[in-house]
């Protein structure tokens, strides 16, 4: 009798019901299947815990097969291509670079003293370091912004807002920007750019088109991406911030990959005791000490946007919505 891992079952069912549901029917089906599949449990339990995540597995399946198999094909696909799938999972990471999240960060960035110096922790390829180069559409064109050089090739980030969101009247002025990542991604490398596109979930063509346009924008600009650790190397990067600018450290869906809770807590202490303005955009369970400050019910599948440790809004994980708190 095969032994199923309760942790894997719980993780994949949670992904199906809280993340993929209403966002990607295919991934919802896949995750539900994997949760009860002995062959997938055996496969995943042989991997390090950090490599057992649904996004990585599903992207590796699509990368190796070059298509999106039907759910009934998954077990056979793993039997045929398990070695290659494992190879990709061990040598790659998710590092989803969702430029759409800039739409949820923008209201906080725009109301800070300008100009800004931006540091993104977990920057991946650095697409979220370009909020001043994207166009924005809030509430179906009820409120729009665009850079002065706006063209048909400029990504337009669509976002639904509820509550008293301080929507900006102009884009922020970014004087300096840098990203910090354990594995910075070079968009000039075709393999890297293709992998980022594979990380976009099936059925989300708008996200794919947005990624392609944001990639084109990023390729035209030289973004400083530093290989390093968020605790060991962030202080040195903060020292590079030009005088006369507001230093801002931000991150989205990054700390979940820091498994050590003590390291997360040390990062929180570092931020709260720094001279930087800190913007975090993470699932509520990642920094529970911040989520516990919210008395209202937690909406399913949302991130919690915080400013210097204070909750500001619930946000769609891909930047698709902002629900202001209070």
């Amino acid at each position: 009798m095969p032994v199923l891992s309760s942790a894997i079952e719980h993780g994949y069912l949670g992904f199906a019901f809280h993340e993929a549901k209403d966002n990607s029917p295919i991934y919802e089906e896949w995750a539900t299947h994997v949760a009860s599949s002995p062959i997938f449990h055996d496969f995943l339990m042989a991997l390090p815990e950090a490599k057992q995540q649904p996004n990585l597995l599903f992207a590796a399946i699509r990368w190796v097969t070059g298509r999106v198999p039907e759910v009934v094909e998954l077990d056979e696909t793993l039997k045929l291509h398990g070695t290659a799938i494992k190879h990709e999972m061990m040598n790659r990471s998710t590092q989803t670079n969702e430029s759409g999240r800039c739409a949820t960060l923008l209201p906080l960035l725009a109301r800070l003293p300008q100009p800004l110096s931006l540091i993104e922790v977990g920057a991946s390829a650095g697409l979220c370091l370009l909020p001043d180069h994207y166009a924005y559409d809030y509430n179906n064109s009820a409120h729009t912004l665009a850079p002065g050089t706006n063209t048909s090739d400029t990504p337009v980030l669509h976002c639904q807002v509820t509550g008293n969101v301080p929507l900006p009247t102009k884009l922020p002025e970014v004087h300096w920007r840098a990203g910090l990542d354990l594995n910075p991604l070079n968009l000039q490398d075709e393999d890297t750019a293709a992998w980022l596109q594979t990380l976009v979930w099936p059925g989300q063509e708008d996200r794919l088109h947005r990624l392609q346009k944001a990639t084109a924008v990023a390729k035209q600009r030289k973004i400083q991406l530093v290989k390093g650790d968020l605790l060991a190397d962030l202080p040195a990067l903060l020292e590079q911030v030009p005088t006369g600018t507001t230093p801002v450290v931000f991150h989205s869906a990054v700390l979940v990959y820091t498994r050590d809770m003590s390291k997360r807590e040390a990062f929180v202490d570092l931020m709260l005791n720094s001279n930087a303005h800190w913007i975090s955009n993470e699932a509520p369970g990642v920094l529970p000490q911040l989520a516990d400050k919210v008395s209202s019910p937690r909406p399913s599948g949302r991130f919690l946007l915080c400013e210097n440790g204070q909750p500001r809004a619930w946000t769609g994980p891909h930047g698709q919505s902002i629900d202001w708190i209070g």
Side-chain angles (χ1 to χ4, degrees), residues 124-195:
S124 185
L127 298 185
C128 287
L129 281 164
L130 298 165
D132 49 331
H133 291 285
Y134 301 143
Y136 299 85
D137 181 334
Y138 292 100
N139 284 356
N140 301 319
S141 300
H143 187 96
T144 60
L145 295 95
T149 56
N150 186 33
T151 68
S152 59
D153 294 328
T154 301
V156 179
L157 312 184
H158 296 267
C159 183
Q160 293 297 119
V161 303
T162 56
N164 297 318
V165 181
L167 292 176
T169 56
K170 61 180 181 180
L171 296 176
E173 180 187 349
V174 181
H175 180 74
W176 182 89
R177 68 194 91 210
L180 182 65
D181 201 287
L182 290 172
N183 180 39
L185 300 183
N186 178 13
L187 290 174
Q188 304 295 338
D189 179 72
E190 292 184 5
D191 180 86
T192 297
W195 172 249

Side-chain angles (χ1 to χ4, degrees), residues 21-133:
K21 186 176 176 61
D22 299 325
N23 290 311
S24 176
I26 291 172
Y27 273 9
E28 182 182 1
E29 283 188 341
W30 282 19
T32 302
H33 173 80
V34 170
S36 60
S37 168
I39 185 175
F40 271 97
H41 277 246
D42 287 345
F43 176 80
L44 291 167
M45 284 190 289
L47 299 177
E49 183 181 353
K51 294 292 185 179
Q52 294 174 0
Q53 56 182 286
N55 280 331
L56 182 59
L57 170 64
F58 296 165
I61 290 172
R62 294 169 54 203
W63 182 266
V64 169
T65 63
R67 63 190 187 92
V68 181
E70 297 291 334
V71 66
V72 295
E73 303 175 76
L74 288 181
D75 285 0
E76 188 63 26
T77 298
L78 189 62
K79 291 177 184 177
L80 292 173
H81 303 289
T83 300
I85 292 170
K86 178 181 179 180
H87 174 80
E88 298 300 333
M89 294 178 70
M90 292 301 297
N91 289 282
R92 298 183 185 271
S93 55
T94 53
Q95 293 187 272
T96 303
N97 208 191
E98 180 48 76
S99 59
R101 292 174 182 144
C102 287
T104 58
L105 303 173
L106 191 72
L108 299 186
L109 294 175
R111 69 179 185 176
L112 294 174
Q114 308 291 313
L116 307 178
S117 287
L118 301 181
I119 296 177
E120 184 183 11
V121 174
S124 185
L127 298 185
C128 287
L129 281 164
L130 298 165
D132 49 331
H133 291 285

